[in-house]
Amino acid sequence: MKNIAELAFSGYKFVVYYAEMLDRWIAEFPHNHPMYEIYYVLEGNVRINIAGTVQELREGQACVLSKDIKYHLYYDPDVPKRYFALIFDIVPCERLAMNGPDGTAELADIRQALLPVDRTGFQILNAHADARQNVERILAEIRERRLGWNTQAVMLCYQFFVLTLRQIMRAPVRDVHFSGHENLAMQVSMYIHAHYPENISVESVAEALNVSPRHINRAYKAMFSTTFMKNTNLLRIAYAKNYLCTTDLSIEEIAEKIGFTSSRALYKLFQQYEGLSLSQYRERHKKDN
């Protein structure tokens, strides 16, 4: 990957400047650049000069290099080796498009994980157990060039980067909850599933979730293109079918178990949504079995 590519998140961008599999025939000159770099050794050993200090990377090890540090790999054509190089940077977004799960808290955690690299100039570590498979998948995407291969390759580079950082930062991160605005419609939906046998209403759910009924109605309609009450009744009818098929409970008992205040309401809505009566549905099920 010799083209610059970006993977944009809500709080930051992962920018890939270069990614390639290299071997013993590649010679490097001493250089530095204002980006981070990771070397990951898949086969053999690699000697690297980092700011005048010689380090050796063994198979399965990775070296994360800080920005602007001078380094180069020694040219040893008589030593078989195969290694992956990734040059990248993390760039905060000037303006958050939305506060998603990859927002400012995750950016802060990434910066925290990179601090040891920034302080010492480099970190040598045992690569993540999935690193090899990850790199091979990157190469496969580039080689096969199937639908979406550009995006997949960059995303896999990001995944490789994150897996490497996890080997540096093993402590719990600050970003322990999903960022972003809570999905009120899904909260309401989960509340309905948990409380449908009760006499729930928009007002009672609004009180439980500490929001206004109007806010619930608006959020629910926007998410599901229907009303809170209609979906509540459809859910109750679905559970009524279960009781009709698996029990000998009376219609009155079923109505009580699924939250209807009367069997009449259950009769009416079941006929409306299913196009047949409760007794017809129960009889048809028995014949089918």
Side-chain angles (χ1 to χ4, degrees), residues 132-193:
R132 177 183 291 270
Q133 181 183 10
N134 189 262
V135 169
E136 298 294 355
R137 287 180 63 196
I138 294 170
L139 299 176
E141 290 291 345
I142 296 172
R143 182 178 62 251
E144 296 170 9
R145 298 175 189 260
R146 299 172 65 187
L147 176 65
W149 72 272
N150 276 277
T151 303
Q152 287 296 311
V154 179
M155 289 179 66
L156 287 165
C157 284
Y158 174 74
Q159 190 178 74
F160 173 79
F161 156 69
V162 170
L163 291 175
T164 302
L165 276 200
R166 286 181 177 180
Q167 300 303 94
I168 298 175
M169 186 175 181
R170 295 177 177 270
V173 296
R174 303 177 210 174
D175 188 18
V176 295
H177 301 291
F178 273 112
S179 304
H181 302 293
E182 288 185 305
N183 189 333
L184 178 59
M186 291 308 302
Q187 284 184 284
V188 173
S189 182
M190 288 187 285
Y191 189 93
I192 294 171
H193 278 79

Side-chain angles (χ1 to χ4, degrees), residues 33-79:
H33 46 66
M35 304 102 179
Y36 292 102
E37 184 160 1
I38 299 175
Y39 282 110
Y40 166 52
V41 183
L42 285 84
E43 298 170 10
N45 293 341
V46 171
R47 289 191 307 141
I48 181 171
N49 186 312
I50 308 173
T53 302
V54 180
Q55 303 288 334
E56 184 165 327
L57 304 180
R58 300 188 306 275
E59 184 174 317
Q61 287 189 317
C63 178
V64 186
L65 294 155
S66 68
K67 297 181 177 183
D68 296 315
I69 193 164
K70 196 167 186 177
Y71 66 93
H72 71 277
L73 268 65
Y74 285 98
Y75 182 58
D76 297 314
D78 56 327
V79 180

Side-chain angles (χ1 to χ4, degrees), residues 2 7 18 22 43 50 63-64 75 86 130 161 167 186 207 216 224 226 231 258 261 265 280:
K2 301 179 179 66
L7 191 61
Y18 169 79
L22 303 166
E43 298 170 10
I50 308 173
C63 178
V64 186
Y75 182 58
L86 174 67
D130 294 330
F161 156 69
Q167 300 303 94
M186 291 308 302
E207 184 178 354
I216 283 182
F224 297 110
T226 189
N231 266 8
I258 61 176
T261 55
Q280 287 173 326

Side-chain angles (χ1 to χ4, degrees), residues 55-270:
Q55 303 288 334
E56 184 165 327
L57 304 180
R58 300 188 306 275
E59 184 174 317
Q61 287 189 317
C63 178
V64 186
L65 294 155
S66 68
K67 297 181 177 183
D68 296 315
I69 193 164
K70 196 167 186 177
Y71 66 93
H72 71 277
L73 268 65
Y74 285 98
Y75 182 58
D76 297 314
D78 56 327
V79 180
K81 53 181 170 281
R82 186 166 168 258
Y83 56 98
F84 179 69
L86 174 67
I87 300 176
F88 66 94
D89 199 4
I90 299 295
V91 182
C93 292
E94 294 180 5
R95 182 180 178 184
L96 296 180
M98 58 183 238
N99 189 19
D102 46 13
T104 54
E106 185 167 290
L107 175 59
D109 288 331
I110 288 174
R111 284 175 164 167
Q112 182 69 27
L114 285 168
L115 273 180
V117 179
D118 295 330
R119 289 196 192 105
T120 62
F122 69 95
Q123 288 282 301
I124 295 176
L125 46 104
N126 293 322
H128 192 277
D130 294 330
R132 177 183 291 270
Q133 181 183 10
N134 189 262
V135 169
E136 298 294 355
R137 287 180 63 196
I138 294 170
L139 299 176
E141 290 291 345
I142 296 172
R143 182 178 62 251
E144 296 170 9
R145 298 175 189 260
R146 299 172 65 187
L147 176 65
W149 72 272
N150 276 277
T151 303
Q152 287 296 311
V154 179
M155 289 179 66
L156 287 165
C157 284
Y158 174 74
Q159 190 178 74
F160 173 79
F161 156 69
V162 170
L163 291 175
T164 302
L165 276 200
R166 286 181 177 180
Q167 300 303 94
I168 298 175
M169 186 175 181
R170 295 177 177 270
V173 296
R174 303 177 210 174
D175 188 18
V176 295
H177 301 291
F178 273 112
S179 304
H181 302 293
E182 288 185 305
N183 189 333
L184 178 59
M186 291 308 302
Q187 284 184 284
V188 173
S189 182
M190 288 187 285
Y191 189 93
I192 294 171
H193 278 79
H195 298 275
Y196 73 89
E198 304 167 18
N199 185 23
I200 58 175
S201 64
V202 173
E203 289 72 24
S204 64
V205 176
E207 184 178 354
L209 299 181
N210 197 29
V211 295
S212 71
R214 183 182 177 190
H215 195 185
I216 283 182
N217 281 328
R218 189 188 306 120
Y220 201 86
K221 185 72 178 289
M223 182 80 179
F224 297 110
S225 301
T226 189
T227 65
F228 162 89
M229 209 63 239
K230 181 175 181 178
N231 266 8
T232 302
N233 286 334
L234 286 171
L235 181 68
R236 286 169 169 164
I237 287 171
Y239 284 113
K241 292 179 184 178
N242 185 48
Y243 284 116
L244 290 168
C245 296
T246 60
T247 74
D248 292 323
L249 293 174
S250 67
I251 303 305
E252 289 74 16
E253 290 172 313
I254 292 174
E256 184 179 353
K257 281 184 173 293
I258 61 176
F260 280 112
T261 55
S262 70
S263 58
R264 183 179 178 181
L266 174 56
Y267 274 112
K268 181 180 178 181
L269 286 171
F270 198 94

